[in-house]
Amino acid sequence: MALKIVKGSIDRMFDKNLQDLVRGIRNHKEDEAKYISTCIDEIKQELKQDNIAVKANAVCKLTYLQMLGYDVSWAAFNIVEVMSSSKFTYKRIGYLAASQCFHESTDVIMLTTNQIRKDLSSPNQYDTGVALTGLSCFVTPDLARDLANDIMTLMSHTKPYIRKKAVLIMYKVFLKYPESLRPAFPRLKEKLEDPDPGVQSAAVNVICELARRNPKNYLSLAPLFFKLMTSSTNNWVLIKIIKLFGALTPLEPRLGKKLIEPLTNLIHSVLSLFIVKYLGLLAMSKILKTHPKSVQSHKDLILQCLDDKDESIRLRALDLLYGMVSKKNLMEIVKKLMLHVDKAEGTTYRDELLTKIIDICSQRAYNCLWYISILVELTRLEGTRHGHLIASQMLDVAIRVKAIRAFAVAQMATLLDNAHLLTGNTQRNGICEVLYAAAWICGEFSEHLEEPMATLEAMLRPKVATLPGHIQAVYVQNAAKLFATVLRGQEGAPADSTVAQETSQLLIDRLPLFVQSSNLEVQERASCILQLVKYIQKLQQKDVEVAEEVTALFAGELNPVAPKAQKKVPVPEGLDLDVWINEPPSGSESEDEGRKSKGKAVFAKDESRHTKPRYTEVDEKELAKRREVRKAEQANNPFYIKASPSSQKVRRHSVSKPNPSPSFSLRLWMPMSDQYVKLEEERRERNKADKKKKKDKKKREKGEKGRRRRGDSGPESEEDITPAHMVDIVTEEMPENALPSDDDDKDPNDPHKALNIDLDNCPLMDYQVVVSVIFENKCDSFIKSMEFNVLDSLNSKLQRPDGAGPHDGLIVPFQLPPGISNEARFIFSVQNIVMPQKLKGTLTFIVKTDDSSTHEKLDFKLHFTCTSYLITTPCYSDAYSKLLESGDLKGCSLKLEGVNQPFHHLLARICFHHHFSVVERIDSCASMYSRSIQGHHMCLLVKTADQTVSIDAKCDEPGLLGNVLDEIKLTFSQC
Amino acid sequence: MQFMLLFSRQGKLRLQKWYVPLSDKERKKISRDLVQTILARKPKMCSFLEWRDLKIVYKRYASLYFCCAVEDQDNELITLEIIHRYVELLDKYFGSVCELDIIFNFEKAYFILDEFLLGGEAQETSKKNVLKAIEQADLLQEVYEMV
């Protein structure tokens, strides 16, 4: 022993330990990377040694380096080695490293299953503890499936230390392997009343997490939690329980009443003045949902919070305001918000403010004139990223609300005229997106323009060429629309035709600028339109009236299409999208192969075939390689011009304009929305007055009733506000026979969805299945000491004698001389019979020959089909028809083709293989019945005609039925 | 809880614990972003902030920031309490803990955290029990080292 200590300390002397490493890193501040790379080299050497102490030390250092951001995934296998050490000191380090470095894609995790299982069942509770802790960090679906049973056993461990860890880790297991929830739930529920407070709080934690996601499945636990809430003194547990009730109360309104008293008691006893502002705002947003009026009165306070230094508080307040907006206070709140936009610090907050304003308005604004003016005002914002958002709102409103188009067009024309203010500074280019909308609106609804000629001129200014390509494209296209409108106006007037020709000349002069554009879209549209205008000018010179025809180019109205429209188009009957239109040519590879071999056989010396290049053979690697080569070539080729954004930037700089004075832009736009607020107020007053008049009239007519009404007419109620004008709102287009479905938005990847399992319908007891196994000795030696063992799943367990561990095998009670067979029976308990199951097992035995005996092992799989859960049960026809009439059974059907056997053979097969009995048979039609071990009824109606057998089946458990039908299908496909 | 980070005023990571499976790359990006965001905040600002779809709860103790990310529906106060309890545990274990204790004994800091939280949930609210478990595990370790 003494020698060992000496040896150990000598080892240590030469190695750096963790402290040395940390100190070293701190001393090498200048060349940290270099120092660490030498350390990593040392560690690699250490990992190659056999001494586990050295290895553990190396792994410990790696864990530290991993935290600093260095890649240590190459050492994953060494980590597993250290994990498997029998010494707790090293095991602990190994598991720590694993929990820090492993994630789901680490492939060595597969190797750890057995080690973890061993550690979980270790007699030392701390071994079990580190295994559970580590597992909680890197559990994968495979690990969860394989270890769920072991962890469930640990939930009833004698030591509370293990119990609480096991309970907590079950939550991770449920997330990875949802099937484990149902069998584990009764035990989990039991732990809510565990004598140890730690275990109890762990169980509360897990159930609260589960219930928060799928509250309705946990309603039945409410009384239990209520008891806990009134009895527990642990604040940690109380907070969780109250959160849980928060999720349950909306589902069960009666709970709310019951909760008031204990909750007020709690609030009185727990008084915390910590970070009140934030939580106050948070609480208000909760209250807002149920009692909006009581929050409305604090509106000024909340508006004040928008001035808070702290962004978190400002964002919370903004959220709250968003929820508070009603038709009545919309204008006021938005006006305040607009003021904040001006003085807001930080672009993120300002952008948030902007999106919120647009959000608020887009959902609730009923005065579209005012909304448009707000949008125009928002374009003043410098450096915002949300130009496209504003643009899309402008387009949306202008397209949907016909009544305001004239106004919108006028506003947009002003915007276009002042476009230089938006584009002058390259820093502000986010906002120039609105010009896209402005140009489109002016073009599309150009009939509303007062001075189309001026707008046309504004759209063709040379500065436009500095805008991004997609906007220029819209400019060009809409200039053409405007041109049409202008022509119509000019030709209608009695003025001389030279005016119209001058307009054409304007286009012909200005368009070439766009024809030179580097953007293809702009170039194409511009040259197209240029040619068109040139042609028009020719006609004009011959005094031909062209306006009508030019306008016809842009006739027709564009309607918005709902984003989901495409998805909702039903597939026409008889159209199968998965079927080939033309049969694909048979696999080129095999054909090629075939041709080659054929060629060889016929023309023995045909070399030319082999020299032919074979394009089909280029594989991924080759392609990647070629791509690399090409890239390298391009990089070295000075004549190859890459599509880099830098060239565009340079151009933009060269024409950048001096910064426009902000005061000017303010004067230009500021009063707009205020003006509408005022108008709106006036209108409201008028409305009120009108109503009052009406009411007075009524009062005179119906004395008493009127008086009572006037009593409550004081505060203006929601209904008192009528829309400013009857808007004709164009709804989004949907295909005619759209399928109604609202669940397109749900995220199918949410892991919690899989945990939505109805726990109250849990089978209360296990069901037994007897498996009889026939052992036949086919060798010439004597076989003895057979031991039968199966790896239990959560659902199916081999019944072992009392006192045997969960992994012990069962001894087969006989020996087998050569050539002899015998049968042994094993009992399994099964919980869920809906799904077929496969269990892995091993049979160990001793083969005895004359001179020696060897220990052998045989792996096997036990397949529990759903059929095996059915019991042949006779049923009388009247009971059978009653069963079918009851309507509790759900149906499913199956068609088998090409069955050429007599009908009675067919029935016999179903009876024999699938445990059914015939209830009644008439000609080529028969009804059959069977019952599962859990009492599910299963009814079949079997018909046959022309070698086709159709089976209509009904059962109260559709999952089970589907699986049984699949098995029946399999039986017939095998004959 | 999704993860916990400890970092210094200089932005150096001192401890990290992830309770959600993420690749190393994502982890690095998240911690870099968060450290920057939090260091930029002034001392009197709120301890809670909304970040992506998570809530960040952080608190500064001397030169160290303790930062936890919880989900939208989780309670901020209990998270703050968890941070504080963890600091108390470190303090009890190391005896008036300082940043250097955590740097040089970082594995111990992890062991304490693992006894206190498991899979992102508090597993033991009693300080006494956590420290007892750690002491006994340490004892076990020393016994092995003696042999």
Side-chain angles (χ1 to χ4, degrees):
Chain A
M1 195 178 102
L3 190 71
K4 244 185 189 171
I5 293 175
V6 172
K7 191 170 169 283
S9 54
I10 288 174
D11 283 339
R12 297 270 160 84
M13 263 166 62
F14 292 115
D15 297 334
K16 268 193 203 99
N17 64 15
L18 176 68
Q19 273 75 21
D20 299 329
L21 176 79
V22 176
R23 211 166 286 135
I25 294 174
R26 290 169 74 84
N27 289 338
H28 290 77
K29 284 219 166 86
E30 282 79 40
D31 51 348
E32 194 183 292
K34 199 177 140 206
Y35 178 75
I36 286 177
S37 77
T38 56
C39 285
I40 288 183
D41 289 341
E42 279 170 25
I43 289 170
K44 279 183 182 161
Q45 288 305 316
E46 285 166 27
L47 287 175
K48 279 183 193 146
Q49 293 185 33
D50 283 334
N51 189 332
I52 190 76
V54 178
K55 266 188 193 166
N57 183 38
V59 164
C60 187
K61 288 190 278 184
L62 279 179
T63 316
Y64 187 79
L65 293 177
Q66 192 266 348
M67 182 173 73
L68 296 184
Y70 292 87
D71 175 39
V72 300
S73 53
W74 48 271
F77 187 74
N78 301 105
I79 293 175
V80 176
E81 274 183 313
V82 176
M83 272 163 75
S84 335
S85 160
S86 57
K87 286 191 181 172
F88 177 70
T89 318
Y90 309 136
K91 191 183 285 300
R92 200 182 188 192
I93 291 173
Y95 270 103
L96 174 65
S99 67
Q100 293 299 110
C101 312
F102 287 4
H103 37 81
E104 284 198 353
S105 51
T106 310
D107 37 10
V108 292
I109 284 188
M110 294 183 316
L111 306 175
T112 59
T113 317
N114 278 323
Q115 179 59 39
I116 296 173
R117 179 174 286 139
K118 212 175 107 196
D119 289 335
L120 288 181
S121 53
S122 159
N124 180 346
Q125 60 165 330
Y126 293 101
D127 280 350
T128 316
V130 289
L132 283 173
T133 311
L135 192 59
S136 73
C137 290
F138 57 77
V139 60
T140 61
D142 286 342
L143 280 178
R145 192 194 56 229
D146 295 342
L147 296 172
N149 211 14
D150 302 75
I151 300 171
M152 230 171 88
T153 322
L154 290 179
M155 278 164 75
S156 316
H157 200 271
T158 49
K159 299 257 171 52
Y161 178 78
I162 300 300
R163 285 209 300 274
K164 70 179 182 212
K165 280 180 191 274
V167 167
L168 275 178
I169 202 177
M170 274 322 272
Y171 179 61
K172 293 271 159 183
V173 172
F174 296 151
L175 285 180
K176 299 286 174 197
Y177 180 57
E179 285 89 333
S180 59
L181 177 57
R182 196 187 278 267
F185 191 71
R187 198 168 287 182
L188 187 60
K189 201 167 128 188
E190 221 174 84
K191 295 295 144 205
L192 283 176
E193 294 176 298
D194 195 280
D196 182 85
V199 181
Q200 196 186 35
S201 85
V204 170
N205 273 346
V206 172
I207 293 187
C208 286
E209 283 301 308
L210 290 169
R212 215 168 61 177
R213 266 65 187 229
N214 300 300
K216 68 173 189 318
N217 298 338
Y218 298 87
L219 261 179
S220 62
L221 291 180
L224 192 57
F225 276 109
F226 194 78
K227 205 176 98 194
L228 277 178
M229 186 168 83
T230 44
S231 62
S232 176
T233 50
N234 185 340
N235 280 346
W236 304 73
V237 171
L238 280 175
I239 292 183
K240 285 278 175 182
I241 296 179
I242 293 169
K243 279 247 149 195
L244 174 73
F245 276 120
L248 292 182
T249 324
L251 299 171
E252 178 57 70
R254 280 175 297 172
L255 264 177
K257 226 179 211 173
K258 266 197 118 180
L259 284 172
I260 290 174
E261 204 201 315
L263 276 181
T264 35
N265 288 343
L266 279 175
I267 292 166
H268 283 297
S269 58
V270 188
L271 242 181
S272 68
L273 287 165
F274 203 62
I275 314 175
V276 186
K277 223 179 204 173
Y278 180 88
L279 292 172
L281 289 170
L282 199 67
M284 273 190 174
S285 67
K286 297 258 160 81
I287 297 170
L288 184 71
K289 282 173 202 148
T290 48
H291 301 90
K293 277 201 181 132
S294 46
V295 179
Q296 296 283 14
S297 52
H298 299 289
K299 192 176 63 198
D300 293 332
L301 203 72
I302 296 164
L303 280 169
Q304 269 175 25
C305 287
L306 283 180
D307 291 325
D308 202 282
K309 279 200 297 269
D310 192 337
E311 200 165 301
S312 287
I313 300 225
R314 289 201 302 253
L315 288 174
R316 271 262 148 255
L318 196 57
D319 250 9
L320 195 53
L321 278 176
Y322 175 66
M324 278 169 59
V325 172
S326 66
K327 280 183 180 176
K328 205 173 81 184
N329 59 18
L330 171 75
M331 285 189 168
E332 189 193 342
I333 288 184
V334 171
K335 194 180 149 194
K336 292 252 168 72
L337 289 180
M338 294 294 288
L339 285 178
H340 279 283
V341 171
D342 288 331
K343 47 184 178 176
E345 290 170 27
T347 42
T348 32
Y349 172 63
R350 213 168 45 179
D351 280 352
E352 180 67 29
L353 205 53
L354 191 144
T355 32
K356 275 273 145 51
I357 291 177
I358 292 184
D359 247 18
I360 290 173
C361 296
S362 63
Q363 281 167 27
R364 298 193 182 81
Y366 55 96
N367 185 337
C368 297
L369 292 184
W370 168 79
Y371 184 26
I372 288 272
S373 60
I374 286 284
L375 287 173
V376 172
E377 233 172 83
L378 284 174
T379 59
R380 269 180 311 116
L381 263 188
E382 275 186 48
T384 180
R385 287 179 291 116
H386 292 296
H388 61 275
L389 189 65
I390 301 177
S392 70
Q393 284 296 313
M394 285 175 171
L395 286 172
D396 201 45
V397 177
I399 294 169
R400 282 168 187 248
V401 189
K402 278 184 183 161
I404 58 113
R405 278 182 194 162
F407 174 76
V409 166
Q411 290 287 309
M412 296 302 127
T414 329
L415 259 186
L416 284 178
D417 200 34
N418 295 300
H420 57 282
L421 295 178
L422 300 176
T423 55
N425 192 335
T426 42
Q427 288 298 306
R428 300 169 67 180
N429 52 14
I431 203 68
C432 65
E433 290 289 328
V434 298
L435 292 176
Y436 176 99
W440 192 86
I441 291 172
C442 283
E444 184 66 23
F445 307 120
S446 50
E447 68 269 21
H448 298 293
L449 272 176
E450 281 177 8
E451 289 177 78
M453 190 59 205
T455 309
L456 180 61
E457 206 272 330
M459 277 168 80
L460 293 170
R461 281 180 199 152
K463 276 172 215 152
V464 172
T466 61
L467 289 173
H470 66 283
I471 299 180
Q472 284 186 52
V474 171
Y475 263 71
V476 172
Q477 185 76 10
N478 285 288
K481 292 184 198 166
L482 265 178
F483 173 61
T485 317
V486 172
L487 278 188
R488 211 165 45 171
Q490 288 168 343
E491 281 183 3
D496 57 337
S497 65
T498 50
V499 185
Q501 281 186 36
E502 271 166 24
T503 317
S504 308
Q505 192 56 45
L506 176 74
L507 260 78
I508 291 167
D509 289 344
R510 298 279 176 87
L511 278 174
L513 178 68
F514 297 102
V515 175
Q516 293 162 7
S517 169
S518 61
N519 187 302
L520 282 181
E521 182 79 24
V522 180
Q523 208 183 80
E524 191 183 2
R525 289 190 189 189
S527 42
C528 229
I529 290 165
L530 185 61
Q531 289 310 314
L532 180 76
V533 177
K534 279 183 180 162
Y535 181 67
I536 289 170
Q537 202 186 27
K538 257 186 218 160
L539 290 177
Q540 282 174 334
Q541 280 157 0
K542 292 176 195 160
D543 275 341
V544 183
E545 296 230 325
V546 286
E548 274 307 313
E549 279 166 60
V550 178
T551 324
L553 281 176
F554 306 107
E557 227 176 276
L558 295 173
N559 280 345
V561 175
K564 286 179 193 165
Q566 177 69 43
K567 252 202 272 177
K568 306 248 164 155
V569 180
V571 179
E573 226 171 287
L575 174 65
D576 186 349
L577 292 171
D578 295 329
V579 159
W580 289 101
I581 298 172
N582 294 317
E583 275 301 313
S586 55
S588 58
E589 193 65 20
S590 63
E591 200 188 54
D592 222 347
E593 221 46 44
R595 204 195 295 148
K596 213 162 64 180
S597 57
K598 213 167 149 193
K600 258 184 200 160
V602 181
F603 314 103
K605 281 192 174 177
D606 192 354
E607 294 293 354
S608 66
R609 262 176 202 282
H610 297 277
T611 53
K612 191 178 102 189
R614 296 183 55 189
Y615 295 105
T616 49
E617 293 281 323
V618 180
D619 60 352
E620 279 293 304
K621 254 190 208 160
E622 178 66 28
L623 273 178
K625 216 161 94 194
R626 283 186 196 175
R627 220 171 280 145
E628 280 305 309
V629 171
R630 196 167 61 232
K631 261 191 200 155
E633 260 172 28
Q634 285 170 3
N636 295 332
N637 185 352
F639 303 106
Y640 185 83
I641 300 165
K642 274 180 282 182
S644 74
S646 58
S647 60
Q648 262 182 329
K649 246 184 223 157
V650 171
R651 205 147 40 79
R652 207 178 288 147
H653 275 300
S654 63
V655 283
S656 71
K657 290 284 158 280
N659 217 351
S661 75
S663 61
F664 174 62
S665 57
L666 264 177
R667 238 184 300 126
L668 190 71
W669 285 316
M670 190 52 199
M672 218 43 186
S673 67
D674 281 351
Q675 185 187 326
Y676 280 95
V677 171
K678 234 177 237 161
L679 274 177
E680 175 67 24
E681 272 164 11
E682 277 169 25
R683 194 185 61 82
R684 233 182 254 178
E685 282 302 311
R686 253 200 330 273
N687 268 358
K688 237 194 217 168
D690 283 355
K691 280 216 174 117
K692 226 177 184 174
K693 260 186 232 157
K694 271 184 209 158
K695 268 178 194 158
D696 287 347
K697 226 179 183 178
K698 243 186 210 159
K699 185 187 154 201
R700 254 172 274 135
E701 282 163 11
K702 296 179 183 177
E704 219 171 303
K705 208 175 173 187
R707 212 176 301 145
R708 219 186 310 134
R709 276 219 191 144
R710 202 177 50 165
D712 55 29
S713 74
E716 197 181 2
S717 65
E718 283 278 307
E719 294 85 355
D720 281 342
I721 303 166
T722 48
H725 29 239
M726 292 315 282
V727 283
D728 172 13
I729 293 184
V730 186
T731 48
E732 291 170 333
E733 275 183 358
M734 283 286 233
E736 272 165 22
N737 36 3
L739 307 166
S741 69
D742 292 319
D743 46 357
D744 325 67
D745 305 328
K746 282 187 190 158
D747 175 18
N749 293 327
D750 182 7
H752 297 289
K753 228 169 116 185
L755 285 181
N756 191 356
I757 295 170
D758 185 0
L759 294 161
D760 293 335
N761 286 340
C762 249
L764 291 175
M765 53 176 290
D766 294 347
Y767 294 86
Q768 288 188 343
V769 174
V770 179
V771 176
S772 79
V773 183
I774 297 169
F775 298 92
E776 187 181 355
N777 185 353
K778 287 184 169 173
C779 68
D780 312 325
S781 314
F782 193 82
I783 290 178
K784 62 172 205 172
S785 305
M786 288 188 282
E787 215 177 298
F788 177 90
N789 199 1
V790 167
L791 195 61
D792 290 350
S793 75
L794 273 178
N795 193 27
S796 318
K797 293 186 176 63
L798 177 62
Q799 286 199 351
R800 298 174 168 92
D802 289 338
H807 306 301
D808 292 350
L810 289 184
I811 291 161
V812 181
F814 48 77
Q815 303 180 334
L816 286 179
I820 299 296
S821 67
N822 200 346
E823 182 187 322
R825 293 182 172 215
F826 302 97
I827 301 170
F828 285 80
S829 59
V830 178
Q831 286 193 340
N832 180 349
I833 62 160
V834 174
M835 299 283 283
Q837 291 239 355
K838 271 186 187 149
L839 292 186
K840 277 190 218 163
T842 45
L843 182 75
T844 53
F845 50 90
I846 292 173
V847 183
K848 208 172 168 201
T849 50
D850 295 339
D851 45 355
S852 69
S853 60
T854 50
H855 210 100
E856 300 265 358
K857 197 177 104 178
L858 191 69
D859 288 327
F860 61 87
K861 267 186 193 165
L862 272 182
H863 192 184
F864 285 74
T865 56
C866 282
T867 296
S868 60
Y869 302 129
L870 297 181
I871 308 168
T872 317
T873 320
C875 183
Y876 296 107
S877 58
D878 47 344
Y880 187 80
S881 52
K882 238 180 220 163
L883 195 61
L884 285 178
E885 279 163 14
S886 69
D888 298 336
L889 309 184
K890 292 183 185 76
C892 193
S893 62
L894 174 71
K895 244 192 185 114
L896 301 166
E897 284 177 17
V899 182
N900 44 1
Q901 46 185 301
F903 192 51
H904 64 273
H905 278 189
L906 185 113
L907 294 184
R909 255 175 182 284
I910 297 179
C911 288
F912 177 75
H913 289 290
H914 298 285
H915 312 172
F916 277 85
S917 61
V918 177
V919 179
E920 210 170 358
R921 184 187 159 184
I922 305 159
D923 300 330
S924 60
C925 181
S927 52
M928 306 179 90
Y929 177 79
S930 184
R931 225 176 132 167
S932 80
I933 53 173
Q934 288 181 3
H936 301 117
H937 304 285
M938 194 167 286
C939 309
L940 300 186
L941 186 66
V942 186
K943 286 183 216 160
T944 179
D946 307 333
Q947 297 195 356
T948 304
V949 179
S950 70
I951 300 178
D952 287 312
K954 283 196 167 174
C955 177
D956 37 10
E957 174 52 67
L960 178 65
L961 179 64
N963 286 320
V964 169
L965 286 186
D966 286 346
E967 284 161 17
I968 293 179
K969 200 171 165 187
L970 197 71
T971 312
F972 284 97
S973 68
Q974 281 165 352
C975 63
Chain B
M1 188 186 293
Q2 305 244 335
F3 56 83
M4 186 189 235
L5 299 175
L6 259 70
F7 52 89
S8 68
R9 222 165 27 172
Q10 289 80 34
K12 282 241 165 73
L13 211 53
R14 295 301 182 206
L15 187 143
Q16 55 169 348
K17 192 86 198 174
W18 299 83
Y19 297 110
V20 283
L22 287 173
S23 71
D24 283 345
K25 212 173 139 196
E26 286 167 300
R27 289 181 182 183
K28 264 188 218 167
K29 185 173 181 332
I30 291 175
S31 45
R32 204 173 43 231
D33 286 1
L34 255 186
V35 168
Q36 270 176 8
T37 317
I38 291 175
L39 287 178
R41 289 173 67 84
K42 299 201 176 69
K44 282 203 173 162
M45 287 186 170
C46 181
S47 280
F48 314 139
L49 69 142
E50 277 153 51
W51 185 79
R52 301 199 186 166
D53 52 347
L54 297 175
K55 278 197 286 206
I56 306 294
V57 178
Y58 74 93
K59 195 163 161 61
R60 188 178 149 181
Y61 289 87
S63 56
L64 265 189
Y65 283 88
F66 289 70
C67 156
C68 291
V70 293
E71 275 159 57
D72 180 38
Q73 300 171 329
D74 282 319
N75 187 305
E76 299 87 351
L77 281 184
I78 209 173
T79 316
L80 209 53
E81 202 60 26
I82 284 175
I83 293 179
H84 189 70
R85 179 59 53 95
Y86 180 47
V87 177
E88 282 179 337
L89 286 170
L90 289 173
D91 201 57
K92 270 262 168 66
Y93 182 82
F94 289 109
S96 66
V97 66
C98 66
E99 193 183 336
L100 282 180
D101 286 324
I102 297 174
I103 300 174
F104 281 104
N105 300 290
F106 92 118
E107 84 277 22
K108 296 273 193 248
Y110 276 119
F111 293 149
I112 297 173
L113 185 61
D114 286 342
E115 285 302 329
F116 175 45
L117 298 178
L118 195 139
E121 296 290 332
Q123 64 163 313
E124 182 56 71
T125 54
S126 150
K127 263 187 279 187
K128 217 174 72 193
N129 284 354
V130 175
L131 290 172
K132 209 172 80 190
I134 289 286
E135 267 162 32
Q136 281 178 347
D138 282 351
L139 202 67
L140 199 65
Q141 175 166 346
E142 269 149 35
V143 169
Y144 273 123
E145 277 174 3
M146 291 292 288
V147 176

